[in-house]
Amino acid sequence: MKLSLFAYRDRLSLQHARSMPRFWIAVLLVIAAILALINLPYSPRTWYDEGSHLHVPKTFVQDGVYADKSAEGYRFHGPTVGVGPTVMLPIAGVFKLFGIGLTQGRAVIVIYLFLALITLYILAERLQGRIVAVLAIAFLIASRTFSYDGAIEYGRQVLGEVPGFAFLTLGMLAWVMALQQLQARREQDSTSKSSLWVCILSGLGFGLALLTKNQFVLIMPAAFALIALLDWVYYRAGDWRLRIIPLVVACSCFGVLTFLQYQFLGAGTFAKTIEETRKAASGAIFVFDIRATLRAGYYLLRPDLYGGFLILGLGYTLWRSLQRNAKGLMEGVVGILIALWLTWFVGASLGWPRYAFPAVAFGAIGVARLVVDAWQLLRPKRRWLALALAVYASAAIVIPITLTANAVLHPDDSAQQFAAYMDEHVPQNALIATWEQELGFLTNHRYQYPPQSALADAVRRQWFGGEHATYDWESAQPAYIAIGPFGDYTAVFNSPKLDKDFLLMQQIGPYKLYQRR
């Protein structure tokens, strides 16, 4: 009887231990849902990048043209290239069903955010177990810093990072599943091959990530080509299907999209689009500036990003990947992808933290594993150090979540108020010069935007100094000028003619409306 009571107690303890990770992941998803949905259309205030992305599905629904739009006509570069149809078309579908609005557009990205969280949890559980998976999701939800946005903030805006990361995680999960299935089959038959369909699904996930955000094209093909090479010469854990098929399928997806763009745009417009994309890349993606390098490096090492554990977690992941077996290869595929991404981010890019988001998001797995292993190592003989580590890691999660909660609980509807004022006081056919792309989404007025080529000059000037971006807005003879956060940031409308020929008509928050005298 006594033994049976002990056995019953042990069984209850085991059931409790197994159920706790499920309880905490449910709690984390509820927290994420609350943080992602409260004041959705007003926090953060919509802005230049989000507005430019929203132009495309709005124009597609209203005019049947997949393009950005300005007073001079359609633009087939800029946002149509920076963010792909995997974002634009679902939002267009939602607009068609539920009307055009910021809440509807952002709701699509929130869905992508939860797809990313759930998929990353499943991936981390397969790689590292439930406890590490739960902690990884907690770190990802808490990836905000005092100065920069994190996963929740990016998941509340129409940007490409969160959807791209969701597809990348789906592809990675299928890749790991294919490798695990191959290892299980090899235990029974040494001639077994990886599942063809799972390898194809992996490639489709990677391919959709390439279609979603153009920065993914810089890193992912090189990363998975390197992983295939390392598996061939070092790990010997996969097979040729796993090494080749996902990479070929992913690159084929991008190739098909490029071909369709060429067919749709024609040779001349396609060439112009490529040239505009090249100019934009020179201002942000390929900068090679020591100041940008230092800025990017500081962001990755700052103590309010995963408690300062990101690079340590990456190093720990790469160290664990040295084992020459399937487990080492699975660690390596995550570590190599993060390492290559952060190498580009620090060495070549402008150093804008959003560019590092996919690598930072994947880095949550390595950080979680590092914290769990360090705690287990310290707990038997260094309990005070283990307790200090647990408190520090908890603070690294709670403080950023508090910052996010504070941000979403203080909405800013100045953009919507300004748009409502324009709808009431500005004629629909009047020409308005502006660089506030969000206004072109919030209202149906005629806006004249600076050319895409001016964007790279404006960004360089703000980050590295120099002359203001030049743009001859006077030649269009606008009846109104709308200057908001981005216009102030670039100072593109700073001109004696603004004070001489225009009168300030209204100011709401950071937005100012000028009318020709």
Side-chain angles (χ1 to χ4, degrees), residues 331-405:
E331 297 272 4
V333 70
V334 175
I336 289 169
L337 181 66
I338 296 172
L340 287 182
W341 204 296
L342 295 184
T343 298
W344 161 74
F345 173 68
V346 173
S349 80
L350 186 66
W352 195 3
R354 201 175 94 203
Y355 290 167
F357 172 74
V360 170
F362 265 124
I365 300 176
V367 170
R369 182 61 193 256
L370 174 67
V371 170
V372 169
D373 284 1
W375 183 78
Q376 290 178 341
L377 180 66
L378 293 171
R379 186 180 58 169
K381 297 182 179 180
R382 301 285 190 273
R383 292 193 174 187
W384 284 107
L385 286 177
L387 178 61
L389 176 63
V391 171
Y392 182 76
S394 299
I397 293 170
V398 172
I399 292 174
I401 289 178
T402 303
L403 294 173
T404 297

Side-chain angles (χ1 to χ4, degrees), residues 93-116:
V94 170
F95 286 172
K96 193 73 173 178
L97 291 173
F98 303 105
I100 295 172
L102 187 57
T103 301
Q104 296 90 308
R106 286 185 168 185
V108 173
I109 309 302
V110 171
I111 293 172
Y112 274 122
L113 171 64
F114 276 86
L115 176 63

Side-chain angles (χ1 to χ4, degrees), residues 5-24:
L5 287 174
F6 280 124
Y8 179 70
R9 185 193 63 183
D10 291 342
R11 187 160 56 250
L12 284 179
S13 299
L14 181 61
Q15 290 175 351
H16 178 72
R18 288 176 177 176
S19 65
M20 283 305 293
R22 296 174 183 173
F23 168 77
W24 283 112

Side-chain angles (χ1 to χ4, degrees), residues 382-497:
R382 301 285 190 273
R383 292 193 174 187
W384 284 107
L385 286 177
L387 178 61
L389 176 63
V391 171
Y392 182 76
S394 299
I397 293 170
V398 172
I399 292 174
I401 289 178
T402 303
L403 294 173
T404 297
N406 181 66
V408 301
L409 290 174
H410 291 84
D412 183 348
D413 65 346
S414 56
Q416 285 85 350
Q417 287 189 42
F418 190 76
Y421 179 86
M422 293 183 66
D423 281 336
E424 186 175 351
H425 296 91
V426 178
Q428 288 283 321
N429 60 347
L431 182 63
I432 307 166
T434 189
W435 215 352
E436 314 310 320
Q437 300 274 11
E438 65 273 22
L439 296 180
F441 175 73
L442 295 174
T443 81
N444 293 315
H445 290 84
R446 291 179 62 226
Y447 293 100
Q448 178 75 42
Y449 301 105
Q452 183 71 18
S453 57
L455 180 60
D457 295 335
V459 170
R460 275 188 171 276
R461 183 260 171 191
Q462 288 298 328
W463 286 75
F464 305 119
E467 297 296 325
H468 292 294
T470 57
Y471 164 53
D472 183 19
W473 56 266
E474 298 100 329
S475 62
Q477 292 296 301
Y480 297 85
I481 295 177
I483 301 177
F486 200 71
D488 276 334
Y489 176 75
T490 60
V492 73
F493 293 103
N494 284 5
S495 167
K497 284 198 172 186

